Amino acid sequence: MTFCVSSTTHLAQYLKPSNFNTSLNIIMKRKISVIDSVIENLINIKKTKTIGIKANIYNCDFRDILKKIEINKTTLIYADPPYFKEHYSRYYHVLDTFLFYDYPELTYNPRLKTTTTGRYRNNRIVSDFGKKSLVKKAFFDLVQTVKLYGNKLAISYANTSILDIDYFDELKTEFKIPMKIYDFELMHSGQGQPRNKIVKEYLIIYG
Ligand SMILES: C[S@@+](CC[C@H](N)C(=O)[O-])C[C@H]1O[C@@H](n2cnc3c(N)ncnc32)[C@H](O)[C@@H]1O
């Protein structure tokens, strides 16, 4: 999708033919066949070597997955949740639409009486991990597994994410479970912005 879409890297800001070069860029993008690209990539996925382990893939909220799978002391849960609310608006809505194939209504700004500048599907999926009001409860439910089943839990996060790292300490105290935080510096892409950012990435291990 990122190759075929005629937008900047964050997939909501569509390119406008404001000068010769951007017009040319749009023409080149529109020339790409979405169907051919999908077929080509599916063939490439098929060529990928697997390591022979049977895997189950679920398409649902993590809380439903936790109810479906057996979790015990030998289980390691690894969560790489969205770090920002943008992950579920700017990046994934095109993928959702590609899968749903449903010609959605666009988001509308009632004050300006027009579609929003960013092109998004209406009622797009927003993860609890991307909502300030729900992110703490989402991590609470995830970390609670360690208390309930004795499993290990590893979480990837960053110091620029919507939730402050101190909350993971609070959960450790609340559930009285062991926790370690490892940190290291990484370069995050500016996602369409002209700058890349150095951020601190965390690997938080409970249990
Ligand atoms: C940063 S991506 C993970 C990327 C992955 N680790 C990789 O390397 O390809 C975040 C993932 O979390 C999933 N996700 C977000 N909210 C979720 C939720 N409430 N329940 C289950 N999965 C969720 C998204 O579908 C997305 O695949």
Side-chain angles (χ1 to χ4, degrees):
M1 288 297 106
T2 41
F3 283 120
C4 299
V5 76
S6 48
S7 77
T8 65
T9 49
H10 71 46
L11 305 184
Q13 193 179 322
Y14 61 97
L15 297 171
K16 293 177 189 145
S18 48
N19 60 42
F20 182 77
N21 279 343
T22 49
S23 306
L24 214 57
N25 190 10
I26 293 171
I27 291 169
M28 297 310 286
K29 288 277 197 174
R30 293 237 170 155
K31 270 189 169 168
I32 298 172
S33 160
V34 177
I35 292 176
D36 287 353
S37 303
V38 170
I39 292 171
E40 191 187 322
N41 280 291
L42 286 177
I43 290 170
N44 284 340
I45 289 175
K46 208 176 161 214
K47 282 188 208 150
T48 311
K49 280 204 176 75
T50 54
I51 50 173
I53 296 172
K54 193 172 162 274
N56 297 316
I57 296 171
Y58 302 93
N59 181 12
C60 54
D61 189 75
F62 74 95
R63 295 174 182 100
D64 298 323
I65 301 167
L66 294 175
K67 279 181 221 148
K68 280 189 181 125
I69 58 174
E70 196 202 315
I71 308 171
N72 57 41
K73 283 192 168 60
T74 66
T75 311
L76 167 66
I77 296 177
Y78 169 59
D80 181 19
Y83 292 4
F84 322 102
K85 73 174 181 347
E86 285 80 7
H87 281 171
Y88 280 86
S89 55
R90 292 191 171 166
Y91 308 147
Y92 293 156
H93 66 110
V94 172
L95 295 166
D96 288 342
T97 305
F98 176 72
L99 278 174
F100 292 141
Y101 223 91
D102 61 350
Y103 303 90
E105 299 256 315
L106 294 175
T107 45
Y108 187 76
N109 184 330
R111 199 171 49 83
L112 300 176
K113 294 194 171 47
T114 179
T115 45
T116 52
T117 315
R119 285 288 193 265
Y120 301 116
R121 50 180 300 124
N122 209 7
N123 300 325
R124 64 187 180 274
I125 299 160
V126 182
S127 166
D128 286 3
F129 290 101
K131 288 187 192 157
K132 275 216 146 101
S133 57
L134 297 176
V135 62
K136 281 191 173 176
K137 177 75 175 97
F139 278 116
F140 183 97
D141 290 349
L142 193 56
V143 175
Q144 196 173 32
T145 58
V146 179
K147 185 78 186 169
L148 294 176
Y149 311 110
N151 56 286
K152 292 214 180 291
L153 169 69
I155 302 171
S156 296
Y157 220 49
N159 66 339
T160 47
S161 309
I162 66 170
L163 189 60
D164 198 88
I165 192 76
D166 291 346
Y167 185 64
F168 295 99
D169 247 330
E170 284 176 36
L171 289 179
K172 166 191 153 181
T173 314
E174 166 113 25
F175 291 121
K176 298 185 184 65
I177 49 176
M179 184 205 62
K180 274 189 205 147
I181 301 183
Y182 300 90
D183 63 65
F184 43 99
E185 286 193 341
L186 267 191
M187 183 84 91
H188 273 196
S189 152
Q191 299 290 355
Q193 301 296 318
R195 58 196 146 69
N196 290 331
K197 274 198 290 205
I198 294 197
V199 299
K200 204 182 263 182
E201 276 277 332
Y202 300 115
L203 185 64
I204 305 151
I205 314 265
Y206 285 101

